[in-house]
Amino acid sequence: MKKTIFSLFLLFFALCAIAQNAREEIKVNPYLGGDNYTAYQEPTKPLSPTPEGYEVCYFSHYGRHGSRYLIGKSAYDTPVKVLQAAHDAGQLTEKGEDVLKKCIAIRKDAQGRIEELTPLGAQQHRGIARRLSERFPEIFGKDNIVDAKSSTIIRCILSMANEMAELQGRNPNLNIKMDASAHDMYYIIQDDKELQKQRAPRGSEAEKALNAFRKSKFDATRVLNTLFKTEDYWKENVEKPHDFIETILWKVAQDQQSLELRKNFSLLDIFTNDELYNIWLGRNADWYVKYGPSMLNGGTQIYVQRNLIKNIIEETDASLPKLLKDSNARLSVPSAHMRFGHEVVVMPTACFMNLNGAGTIYDSLDDLEKNKWYSYKIFPMASNIQMVFYRPTTPNASVDDVLVKFLLNEEEADVPDLKAVKGPYYKWADVKKYWENKLSKYKE
């Protein structure tokens, strides 16, 4: 009887955890409010068993670089400059003085490492590689070819290198090919300036809606008054004071989770849990509009990385038929295509694929949180989209018989627009047709 009661308690707590909304999740882990600065969360759910009569035969992937330092020297200089000026004027509170010291320490730690991968970022990719080896030994436990390509940005190259080094260390027989060239940047991170212009141009409906939404969610006055002695001072001497808190100082505070200094102190105590949640609401909406399916700018932003979708189709079409027909093809044809880049690719790609409903169109920005459209679940540091292909074990299998499973950040994902064969498994032929039909609707 006691065992039954205990089991019921465990079930209750598990259901409570599942039912948590973003406010509750951010309260438990404030770093989740870091949006695209959120450090990678390792998967917790076991994978579904391989369908009976099938085996893994091919793997395709796109991954973001791991945790990094902030982009641009000013990201570290500006907080120190603003707070130091207030210190010199005798206008910092005790809390403000503490924040200044911490900002100076963070800036010193980042010196000469702007935009670079952090040790945590390297660890994230080694962890992903370890799990790939354990989960899919049919691909990463044999003498297969792994073709890895990276953005030419150093943090992406190092992310790829760490992941490949871990794979190679676990299986010296893998034939790993790595490259990072301008030749491949057209699909690693497509530079579509026309679509970029349409995201939220000045004076547009999209910009007005985002500004109004963010202002309705967060007011920086309390934080400003916590750091500076008088309201008159920050109003007169801090340029765009609300932006200084919501964007500049918040960014330093949240990105600290990617640094080794996270072990020494935190800057997040500047904010209350509700403030962290409300800032996240605004940023979450910003990503939905600028990289998601929002109709505020025509619903076209999910196509901004369409070259990646085309590349996945092309490389799958090149490898898969050969791997099905010839057991020795794996010695000359890649069994895995892996691509390493940025969150601005992961985000629209997940929306285009509609993984877990990421491509759903909502009428109101308030609907995002209600429907669990959470940025930190889509594209944290080291975020990744994995496609695992399964062939029938019967002779003479064709491409039409192949199944595919999607993993978003190593957790099984569904595609609401498609009918699954079973569980998270879809026919590759259906997925390909779905993508090609979708691509045909966008006119260059």
Side-chain angles (χ1 to χ4, degrees), residues 24 34 72 115 137 163 207 226 251 294 371 379 386 412:
E24 293 164 340
E115 306 180 16
E163 199 157 318
E207 186 198 44
T226 299
K251 191 181 294 184
S294 174
N371 289 281
F379 64 157
Q386 300 178 8
E412 291 174 344

Side-chain angles (χ1 to χ4, degrees), residues 48-59:
S48 301
T50 298
E52 187 175 351
Y54 285 83
E55 62 184 4
V56 176
C57 64
Y58 177 66
F59 181 87

Side-chain angles (χ1 to χ4, degrees), residues 55-59 132-133 136-148 164 167-168 170-178 319 322-324 326-338 388-389 391:
E55 62 184 4
V56 176
C57 64
Y58 177 66
F59 181 87
L132 285 176
S133 294
F136 311 115
E138 303 91 337
I139 301 294
F140 302 103
K142 296 183 177 181
D143 53 350
N144 294 331
I145 297 173
V146 175
D147 189 319
M164 295 304 108
L167 288 173
Q168 192 82 79
R170 291 177 172 274
N171 177 16
N173 293 322
L174 270 179
N175 182 0
I176 295 177
K177 300 177 179 180
M178 287 189 286
S319 282
K322 296 175 182 177
L323 293 170
L324 290 177
D326 182 2
S327 60
N328 291 319
R330 61 186 176 80
L331 301 177
S332 58
V333 175
S335 293
H337 283 103
M338 303 183 69
V388 190
F389 292 76
R391 66 185 171 202

Side-chain angles (χ1 to χ4, degrees), residues 36-69:
N36 60 317
Y37 296 98
T38 298
Y40 193 68
Q41 308 292 304
E42 293 189 3
T44 58
K45 301 175 184 176
L47 296 183
S48 301
T50 298
E52 187 175 351
Y54 285 83
E55 62 184 4
V56 176
C57 64
Y58 177 66
F59 181 87
S60 189
H61 152 282
Y62 188 96
R64 183 192 181 190
H65 59 75
S67 284
R68 60 163 169 77
Y69 288 91

Side-chain angles (χ1 to χ4, degrees), residues 165-198:
E166 186 70 21
L167 288 173
Q168 192 82 79
R170 291 177 172 274
N171 177 16
N173 293 322
L174 270 179
N175 182 0
I176 295 177
K177 300 177 179 180
M178 287 189 286
D179 198 9
S181 170
H183 177 271
D184 299 302
M185 289 293 277
Y186 76 95
Y187 68 84
I188 292 292
I189 177 168
Q190 185 175 351
D191 186 19
D192 189 331
K193 290 183 170 55
E194 288 306 311
L195 272 182
Q196 291 170 18
K197 290 176 184 176
Q198 298 171 29

